[in-house]
Amino acid sequence: MIIPIFILSIILFFLYTTSFYIINKIEKYFNISIDINYSILLLAIYFIIFISFLWHLILPLKYLFFFLIIVSIFYLIKISNFLNNFRKIKINLFSVIFIIILIFLSLSNTPIYDTMLYHHQVLNWFSDFAISKNLIEIDIRLGMVSPWHMFLSLFNHKINNYNLSFVANLIPFVVFTLISIQALEKKLSSFSDLFLINCYAFIIIFSLIHPFGNGILLMELGSVGTDLAASIFFILSVYFFLKFYECENQNQKNLFFLYLVITCTLTFFSRISYVSIYVLLLPILLKSLSKKYILILSVFFALPLLLFFIKNILTSNCLIFPIY
């Protein structure tokens, strides 16, 4: 129990460090002021997946894990305002208790069937080798993988016979939990906050009353599947879409549009069949297609999508497997 808690704490701290670096760049190049809260973890997750695409073209992903850790340490030494930024994040006892419960659930679950069938094999391929051409010739299931597995592959290391990737797959639900608690602290002052809490409550209640284990979603805690991550990013996409229309401040609108594009991309990267989530962008773009929004779309949607297509062509000769 102590080892998973320690690993998760290190991963969260690493994500926060990465997110502070990204915040500086976004504020500089996009002219968007970013509030320091739990949502910034989404920036780090997106950035790491994007870097993984580039790195995996030439090197195995297991080396990227150590590279990012070293860079994070040097960045911590370099910046002087890190502790001030970190203090802005409110970590209460309620959130700590919920995260410990999630770890208990993950330890009580047995790995799901797909994890043992091919998900873990995918992680091994990604972490031990650079991108492999025509990988589907080994097993057709290796073509049906998502970029979320690239994120998990970074943590495909063992500490005392415990695989870090199983803990890393807790991250989306941990972020979901922290943002939901953040909404509760605002006393559900908006429809978007009410929507988020209801979604969270539904997942918890459904898992409690489900006759099989912890339910079809939370049973993925402790595995390396993608369904839970995709579902959470889908919910967060709708949440930020609602936030965009509730907000009147233009800087906040820009920020929520940025989070919306990132969560839509993370949803698609976790579960390719959820591509319809991008419909949420249409009403915003049809009404206000500014230069800033075009820049955000270019960097946080078009560019990673291009890398995704390149990866698919190399591994399966398809833009989106199994469509030629």
Side-chain angles (χ1 to χ4, degrees), residues 59 82 153 159 174 187 244 269 276-277 320-321:
L59 289 171
F82 173 79
S153 297
I159 295 180
V174 168
K187 299 181 180 179
F244 177 89
F269 279 175
S276 58
I277 191 65
I320 299 179
F321 185 83

Side-chain angles (χ1 to χ4, degrees), residues 33-101:
S33 179
I34 299 178
D35 300 326
I36 305 299
N37 53 39
Y38 297 129
S39 300
I40 64 174
L41 290 169
L42 297 168
L43 300 174
I45 294 171
Y46 165 84
F47 176 76
I48 291 171
I49 292 177
F50 179 78
I51 294 297
S52 298
F53 273 121
L54 298 174
W55 183 281
H56 198 222
L57 290 173
I58 53 175
L59 289 171
L61 287 175
K62 64 181 179 182
Y63 301 125
L64 178 58
F65 173 78
F66 299 108
F67 175 78
L68 290 175
I69 292 292
I70 293 170
V71 170
S72 297
I73 293 172
F74 276 104
Y75 183 68
L76 280 176
I77 297 171
K78 181 181 177 181
I79 60 175
S80 58
N81 63 339
F82 173 79
L83 289 178
N84 292 330
N85 287 332
F86 193 76
R87 290 191 189 101
K88 294 179 182 178
I89 302 170
K90 297 179 181 179
I91 303 175
N92 55 40
L93 182 61
F94 193 50
S95 60
V96 172
I97 291 172
F98 258 82
I99 291 171
I100 291 175
I101 291 173

Side-chain angles (χ1 to χ4, degrees), residues 15-217:
L15 290 176
Y16 271 124
T17 307
T18 306
S19 63
F20 290 139
Y21 170 80
I22 302 165
I23 286 171
N24 289 335
K25 298 302 180 184
I26 291 176
E27 290 182 337
K28 179 179 178 180
Y29 295 108
F30 291 85
N31 194 27
I32 299 175
S33 179
I34 299 178
D35 300 326
I36 305 299
N37 53 39
Y38 297 129
S39 300
I40 64 174
L41 290 169
L42 297 168
L43 300 174
I45 294 171
Y46 165 84
F47 176 76
I48 291 171
I49 292 177
F50 179 78
I51 294 297
S52 298
F53 273 121
L54 298 174
W55 183 281
H56 198 222
L57 290 173
I58 53 175
L59 289 171
L61 287 175
K62 64 181 179 182
Y63 301 125
L64 178 58
F65 173 78
F66 299 108
F67 175 78
L68 290 175
I69 292 292
I70 293 170
V71 170
S72 297
I73 293 172
F74 276 104
Y75 183 68
L76 280 176
I77 297 171
K78 181 181 177 181
I79 60 175
S80 58
N81 63 339
F82 173 79
L83 289 178
N84 292 330
N85 287 332
F86 193 76
R87 290 191 189 101
K88 294 179 182 178
I89 302 170
K90 297 179 181 179
I91 303 175
N92 55 40
L93 182 61
F94 193 50
S95 60
V96 172
I97 291 172
F98 258 82
I99 291 171
I100 291 175
I101 291 173
L102 291 178
I103 293 174
F104 267 116
L105 287 175
S106 69
L107 292 175
S108 66
N109 288 339
T110 55
I112 60 175
Y113 179 74
D114 286 348
T115 289
M116 307 308 295
L117 182 64
Y118 72 98
H119 284 165
H120 206 79
Q121 286 78 359
V122 168
L123 264 59
N124 290 334
W125 272 101
F126 284 177
S127 63
D128 294 338
F129 304 96
I131 193 166
S132 303
K133 295 180 180 180
N134 300 319
L135 190 60
I136 60 167
E137 292 184 5
I138 298 174
D139 189 333
I140 196 169
R141 297 184 188 90
L142 298 179
M144 299 183 290
V145 298
S146 71
W148 181 247
H149 283 126
M150 299 181 72
F151 177 82
L152 297 179
S153 297
L154 296 178
F155 305 95
N156 193 27
H157 303 274
K158 286 187 177 181
I159 295 180
N160 195 26
N161 289 325
Y162 193 89
N163 196 304
L164 275 65
S165 60
F166 290 103
V167 180
N169 211 25
L170 284 170
I171 293 298
F173 204 84
V174 168
V175 174
F176 185 32
T177 300
L178 294 174
I179 295 177
S180 299
I181 292 173
Q182 190 173 271
L184 273 176
E185 291 174 346
K186 297 177 183 177
K187 299 181 180 179
L188 305 178
S189 57
S190 63
F191 177 75
S192 59
D193 292 337
L194 189 62
F195 163 79
L196 191 70
I197 294 302
N198 277 313
C199 288
Y200 193 91
F202 172 80
I203 292 175
I204 297 299
I205 294 172
F206 179 74
S207 299
L208 289 174
I209 65 176
H210 197 278
F212 179 73
N214 292 313
I216 57 176
L217 284 176

